[in-house]
Amino acid sequence: MLKGVAQQKLKTGAEFKASLDDGRQLWVNGKKLEKVTDEPALAAGIDLLASMFDDQFTAEHADATTVTDSVSGDVYSRAWQIPRTIAELQDRRKMIEYTSLKTGGTFGRPPDLAPAIAVGLYAYLPTFKAKKSTFDGCQPDFAENIERYLAYGRDNNLTASESLAGPQTDRSSPKAGEASLLRVKSIERGGIRVSGAKTVGSIAAQANEIFFTNLGGIQETPAEACIWGSVPINSEGIRLISREMVSHPGADPFDHPIARLGEEADQFIIFDNVFVPTDRIFNLGDPTAMQYYGPVCTFAHWHVLTRLAVKAELFVGAGQLVLDVLGTGRIPAVQAMLGELIEYAQTLRAFVYAAEAKAKMTEGEVMAPDVGMLTTGRLYSIQHYPRIIHVLQEMCGQGLVMRFGKAAFDNPDIGHYLRDLLVGHGASAMEKEQLMNFIWDMTTSSLAGRVALFENVNSSPAPRLRARLYEEVKRDVFVDQVKKLAGLA
């Protein structure tokens, strides 16, 4: 292509699918797969992801999923957008809202999540420029690598997984946590070799790359475990061991409107002497860089809170439809239940908007949402999520218990009974049933159970988030106000 001519840095759905046929090492239910698409649940999830790539080329979704470079005119995925202003931060949120709606909020790590961490590293580029490797045989320029990786991800419409947590082990023994800790095993020409394991690698089996680091679980991180980097998921020595599938691929859309879409299957990721090229290393041996987990992940936490807000609004919509089809909208107690769903959704939205309104420029000249608002919003969400699920289930009553599939409605011997005796308020029995099936998938199914655990466990327990608030929210202004009013100044 001629120099200076604007380019589209986008993949089609077919190109995305082809990129996954790369010899990656994957086990599901103890069986090694030849291709990731050999597992129906993974294949269905890949189809869903592929549709997101195709949506980039549609008039309906182009604004939410793509951005045009103001200088080159190149068009690339919003997943890799670096927000420089509050307006650009709000524009980047369009992508989060899009992927959240596309998956019904059931993909905790959609394709635009991992790029948020890469942008988080970029936001502190001067700091990483000043950091140096403590390994004499490998001296990467972390800042140059971060810039190069962002350009690579943007130019290739890359899909990545991120796995930061270590495996769950005996918490009473520091040695147990260290046994699986991802660490440098050797220095070689052109890079390093690492071994260890990472866990909850959501979407890793369906992505191109794995973005990794270490955090938590041990008292003090040794230099050889102070690493941050990214490698292709098919790198020699990487093995993916999938958890049990919980979706319903191939199900009739009537029976499982959400669970039929497949899932992002969490992976236990083994690194067995994996080579990491020098230009893919963002920290090596510097423990002070590991302390930047919080600031770097601010954009990822903003993504999480936005997705939860979108899903909360889906709960409100579903709750309103329940009132409509059951004719319970005039009952004060039921109105109050829907009011509780609305309160939850509106509060999460308020935290998202407040985090953006209070955004500040980082040292790397990236507009970052307010971390205090994000942490408080995430804390509110995990405290109330189980209650909100319960309220929506209560509103449905026996509708969630007595569900019948499309095959039952189509059966000539019994279908007419179901159609005649289960009619809703202004809705047919099948319309009422389809709504209940949607709510089942979102609140009660095995897929919903996994998502609920993910929301309430993976985002850090409430005590840890409160500890983060203690660390993150500056209180000097509040103290000064009290001193002045109390005459203590």
Side-chain angles (χ1 to χ4, degrees):
M1 186 162 294
L2 296 175
K3 185 177 180 181
V5 176
Q7 302 177 50
Q8 271 197 341
K9 312 282 185 148
L10 304 173
K11 282 178 184 170
T12 65
E15 288 170 334
F16 164 68
K17 286 184 176 182
S19 73
L20 305 182
D21 187 11
D22 57 6
R24 60 191 60 199
Q25 305 292 295
L26 170 64
W27 283 258
V28 177
N29 294 327
K31 180 181 178 181
K32 189 172 186 293
L33 302 187
E34 291 298 319
K35 295 182 179 181
V36 62
T37 49
D38 288 345
E39 164 53 48
L42 291 175
I46 288 168
D47 286 340
L48 179 60
L49 297 174
S51 72
M52 296 182 189
F53 284 89
D54 286 335
D55 281 350
Q56 296 174 122
F57 299 93
T58 66
E60 180 182 0
H61 299 295
D63 182 54
T65 60
T66 67
V67 63
T68 301
D69 188 276
S70 59
V71 177
S72 68
D74 292 345
V75 179
Y76 58 91
S77 170
R78 273 203 193 277
W80 295 91
Q81 181 180 12
I82 301 174
R84 305 290 190 180
T85 65
I86 289 179
E88 289 182 356
L89 193 65
Q90 293 167 336
D91 283 342
R92 173 61 180 83
R93 173 164 39 84
K94 295 176 184 177
M95 179 74 167
I96 308 173
E97 292 168 339
Y98 161 80
T99 57
S100 299
L101 280 174
K102 191 80 174 181
T103 66
T106 61
F107 278 50
R109 298 291 183 263
D112 59 320
L113 189 281
I117 295 178
V119 170
L121 286 169
Y122 186 90
Y124 296 92
L125 210 59
T127 288
F128 282 90
K129 185 69 176 176
K131 302 293 181 185
K132 301 297 180 185
S133 167
T134 59
F135 290 79
D136 293 336
C138 187
Q139 291 291 319
D141 186 315
F142 302 140
E144 281 188 11
N145 287 353
I146 292 167
E147 289 183 289
R148 188 183 298 112
Y149 187 76
L150 267 169
Y152 173 74
R154 178 194 64 213
D155 292 346
N156 291 277
N157 207 173
L158 193 70
T159 299
S161 170
E162 53 84 17
S163 188
L164 312 181
Q168 186 182 68
T169 57
D170 180 0
R171 297 290 180 88
S172 69
S173 169
K175 291 296 182 182
E178 292 181 20
S180 58
L181 190 64
L182 192 64
R183 63 179 75 211
V184 178
K185 303 303 290 186
S186 63
I187 304 294
E188 295 184 8
R189 181 178 180 181
I192 60 176
R193 294 219 174 246
V194 299
S195 291
K198 306 305 296 180
T199 192
V200 197
S202 306
I203 215 173
Q206 299 146 303
N208 304 120
E209 299 241 340
I210 175 69
F211 205 93
F212 61 86
T213 189
N214 287 314
L215 61 93
I218 56 174
Q219 295 298 315
E220 190 172 313
T221 306
E224 65 270 19
C226 294
I227 52 178
W228 217 321
S230 180
V231 292
I233 206 69
N234 68 334
S235 297
E236 184 178 354
I238 287 184
R239 293 172 174 82
L240 308 174
I241 305 174
S242 180
R243 62 151 169 81
E244 179 184 28
M245 301 298 163
V246 293
S247 58
H248 295 278
D252 190 294
F254 178 89
D255 297 343
H256 290 288
I258 297 298
R260 71 180 178 86
L261 300 175
E263 58 190 287
E264 49 163 23
D266 310 294
Q267 306 294 317
F268 188 65
I269 307 171
I270 308 297
F271 287 73
D272 186 1
N273 209 33
V274 174
F275 183 72
V276 184
T278 302
D279 63 0
R280 290 299 195 90
I281 301 172
F282 315 127
N283 178 45
L284 183 61
D286 188 337
T288 63
M290 304 300 285
Q291 298 168 8
Y292 271 75
Y293 159 76
V296 164
C297 289
T298 293
F299 294 92
H301 293 155
W302 169 59
H303 187 293
V304 170
L305 184 60
T306 301
R307 178 178 55 78
L308 285 164
V310 170
K311 187 158 60 171
E313 290 161 355
L314 290 176
F315 292 155
V316 171
Q320 180 62 59
L321 286 172
V322 169
L323 266 63
D324 293 343
V325 302
L326 295 185
T328 55
R330 293 187 178 183
I331 302 174
V334 179
Q335 292 175 351
M337 295 168 83
L338 184 58
E340 190 170 350
L341 300 187
I342 295 171
E343 173 195 341
Y344 177 69
Q346 293 288 83
T347 303
L348 293 189
R349 268 294 168 188
F351 277 120
V352 172
Y353 292 158
E356 294 168 357
K358 295 185 67 176
K360 290 184 175 61
M361 193 72 78
T362 68
E363 63 184 54
E365 299 185 342
V366 179
M367 189 60 68
D370 181 78
V371 67
M373 286 295 174
L374 293 179
T375 302
T376 307
R378 291 195 301 131
L379 175 60
Y380 181 88
S381 74
I382 68 170
Q383 287 179 309
H384 291 81
Y385 189 89
R387 167 67 183 171
I388 293 305
I389 294 296
H390 177 70
V391 169
L392 185 52
Q393 289 170 331
E394 273 199 325
M395 292 170 68
C396 295
Q398 65 172 259
L400 289 183
V401 177
M402 299 299 293
R403 293 169 51 250
F404 308 94
K406 188 171 184 294
F409 279 94
D410 289 343
N411 186 289
D413 295 326
I414 59 173
H416 62 95
Y417 292 118
L418 300 178
R419 288 191 295 272
D420 293 344
L421 301 175
L422 294 175
V423 176
H425 177 73
S428 70
M430 289 192 71
E431 289 171 333
K432 179 165 69 72
E433 181 77 0
Q434 194 161 8
L435 172 62
M436 294 300 173
N437 289 342
F438 172 83
I439 295 173
W440 173 273
D441 277 357
M442 292 289 286
T443 68
T444 315
S445 67
S446 55
L447 176 66
R450 176 264 169 191
V451 172
L453 284 171
F454 186 90
E455 307 293 19
N456 287 280
V457 175
N458 201 57
S459 62
S460 294
R464 174 57 188 137
L465 289 179
R466 292 191 186 96
R468 286 197 60 173
L469 286 176
Y470 181 87
E471 297 162 1
E472 294 168 348
V473 177
K474 305 304 179 186
R475 302 175 290 279
D476 296 349
V477 172
F478 308 147
V479 170
D480 290 342
Q481 290 170 339
V482 170
K483 284 184 175 180
K484 183 177 180 180
L485 288 170
L488 298 171

